[in-house]
Amino acid sequence: MAEKSVEPHVFVILGATGDLTRRKLMPALFHLRTLGELDKQNTLIVGAAMPEMSEDAFRLWVYEGLRNSGAPDSSDLRRWCDDHLHYLTVHGGSLEDYEALAALLTRLEGAGRKPANRIFYLALPPTTVPSTVERLDQAGLLKSDGWVRVVFEKPFGHDFSSAQALNALLHRHLGESQIYRIDHYLGKETVQNLLAFRFANPIFETLWNRDMVESVQITVAEDLGVEHRGSYYQEAGALRDMVQNHLTQLMTVVAMEVPVSFDAAAIQVEKLKVLQSIDPIDPQDVAFGQYTAWNVAGRVIPGYRQEQGVSPDSTTETFVAIKMDIHNWRWRGVPFYLRTGKRLPRKLTQVAVTFRPAPFQVFRTLEPESLDSNRLLITLQPNEGFALCFSVKTPARPLSFTSQSLQFDYGRAFGGELPDAYETLLRDVMIGDQTLFVSADFTETAWRLYDPLLAGKHDVHFYTAGSWGPKEADAVVERNGHRWQLGW
């Protein structure tokens, strides 16, 4: 658990003029610098992309992006951009382009920067990733007298066979210890604190099993539609875009066994065991949905089929609800429900653990529904924190109960904003910590789990934008005697 420090390195962003770089990567890198993680001699940043742009123009573009993200206008900000940022145009991604990149890195590293440590962040469309890795290798950029790490954005494949092929290609050029498959959900402070919550507090870990837990629900709700991603979403859908990665990652963190140590290898082993223990998903335990138009206060919210880049007869799902069963000693008989959708009433990412009711009801004169089950609500966004819900007696007579909660809010407890997920993950790449990253085995096992659902034909049920999804999603939980849990 000793804290590692960031070693000097060159951080290369391929696809550096995209939205991801400006909105997420550069603000995260600059904030790491303001925290003292990246001192004056520590990190140079090289942007490489297709647009013709001078270094001064690139620096100005980054500077304006940082100002828009809330960084104060100061001589220090301008100096950081001027001293630490470099740019190279890679016209068509040819070998000559990457040889020019190699020459630039050699020049930058030649100024006393030994060993030559390098990070390559591939902020690129998935279709260009294989050729990019091959060109990096051919140009000698993946070999150094220091360390080399390569960061990949999701999606990691389109299905099981494509994920397997992608991993095979990566392993021809890189060792698994060099590969960082980034899932920004795992960088959220509450996901990390979920591990601490479970394993540092035995009062909860002793309840974390089939004897005490009745069900587990994971909800990732988005209030926006597909926005400008219509063409991408048409090929992806909610199952590929959200369930196979984000929700599955959260589910394994909730369900994993206690690791032998708090390091990347031990945690990844336990998460993989969860996936390998999941029974094949029954298609009857899955509901797919697609949002339709909604007229609210005279304003028409378009349906999915009216979004730009979407076919007018598209059957792509924008909502998925799934029940799954984990076939192991801890969780056998406890249903895990995963739900995600676009154009839902509000933005919310939450894990709801519902505990079993008392085996004997002392308050026999009350209606069974008047005593709510104890619940633990773990909220990742928008307000990160925990709430433990329990029943208390309502004052006066007749005897009745109401549900109250003990709450913990990270923002109020520690003040200010929590670290951005990318900030956390980029620092972990810099120090070589793969705890919050996705392994090759995990990606392939997850795809293998969902492939039958992707391959089979399924009905897509319509739901009005602004609702909580189609009624068929309610049936997924209600046929097991449960209901969806929301908020505190």
Side-chain angles (χ1 to χ4, degrees), residues 248-302:
T248 302
Q249 287 284 352
L250 290 178
M251 182 267 295
T252 57
V253 171
V254 172
M256 64 185 280
E257 295 292 332
V258 182
V260 294
S261 63
F262 198 75
D263 61 35
I267 291 172
Q268 289 176 352
V269 163
E270 298 304 336
K271 288 167 61 179
L272 181 60
K273 284 181 184 178
V274 174
L275 279 188
Q276 293 170 335
S277 301
I278 295 174
D279 289 339
I281 299 172
D282 188 337
Q284 293 186 342
D285 289 330
V286 184
F288 294 95
Q290 184 186 100
Y291 65 87
T292 59
W294 179 35
N295 191 324
V296 53
R299 174 178 169 232
V300 177
I301 305 297

Side-chain angles (χ1 to χ4, degrees), residues 67-235:
R67 291 284 295 113
N68 291 337
S69 71
D73 187 5
S74 65
S75 58
D76 182 56
L77 175 60
R78 292 177 181 271
R79 192 179 311 112
W80 182 79
C81 292
D82 290 340
D83 292 348
H84 290 78
L85 303 185
H86 301 268
Y87 183 78
L88 179 73
T89 300
V90 287
H91 300 88
S94 66
L95 179 57
E96 290 74 17
D97 290 325
Y98 285 89
E99 287 174 341
L101 177 60
L104 173 60
L105 296 192
T106 299
R107 178 171 64 81
L108 294 175
E109 293 165 347
R113 300 176 63 82
K114 295 294 182 180
N117 299 321
R118 299 168 180 172
I119 294 172
F120 294 95
Y121 197 111
L122 274 57
L124 299 168
T127 54
T128 66
V129 167
S131 60
T132 300
V133 173
E134 290 177 344
R135 288 285 187 264
L136 287 170
D137 199 8
Q138 290 169 356
L141 286 161
L142 301 182
K143 298 177 178 63
S144 169
D145 61 350
W147 45 256
V148 177
R149 297 163 187 156
V150 185
V151 185
F152 299 89
E153 280 278 345
K154 78 173 186 73
F156 315 118
H158 192 71
D159 52 20
F160 171 70
S161 60
S162 62
Q164 197 174 41
L166 178 59
N167 283 329
L169 180 141
L170 297 183
H171 290 151
R172 286 200 297 271
H173 302 280
L174 297 159
E176 181 65 20
S177 63
Q178 296 177 283
I179 299 171
Y180 289 74
R181 300 171 188 83
I182 196 167
D183 185 337
H184 71 273
Y185 263 65
L186 294 182
K188 293 182 180 296
E189 192 72 14
T190 318
V191 175
Q192 301 166 64
N193 276 288
L194 178 54
L195 292 170
F197 180 85
R198 283 192 56 192
F199 305 136
N201 297 290
I203 187 174
F204 291 107
E205 184 58 24
T206 54
L207 305 176
W208 220 254
N209 56 64
R210 60 191 174 92
D211 294 328
M212 301 304 296
V213 174
E214 182 176 83
S215 68
V216 178
Q217 296 181 13
I218 299 174
T219 296
V220 178
E222 300 178 274
D223 55 354
L224 299 176
V226 296
E227 305 301 303
H228 59 280
R229 301 171 70 225
S231 298
Y232 161 76
Y233 211 86
Q234 178 83 344
E235 300 299 321

Side-chain angles (χ1 to χ4, degrees), residues 351-404:
V351 178
V353 180
T354 300
F355 295 96
R356 295 192 183 279
F360 173 73
Q361 180 54 270
V362 175
F363 304 101
R364 292 186 292 277
T365 60
L366 297 178
E367 293 293 327
E369 297 80 16
S370 64
L371 275 175
D372 291 331
S373 297
N374 297 146
R375 290 175 298 146
L376 175 65
L377 302 176
I378 304 159
T379 303
L380 281 73
Q381 58 181 9
N383 300 311
E384 297 175 290
F386 301 86
L388 181 62
C389 304
F390 54 93
S391 294
V392 297
K393 178 183 174 298
T394 305
R397 295 179 179 277
L399 181 65
S400 63
F401 289 82
T402 187
S403 185
Q404 296 294 318

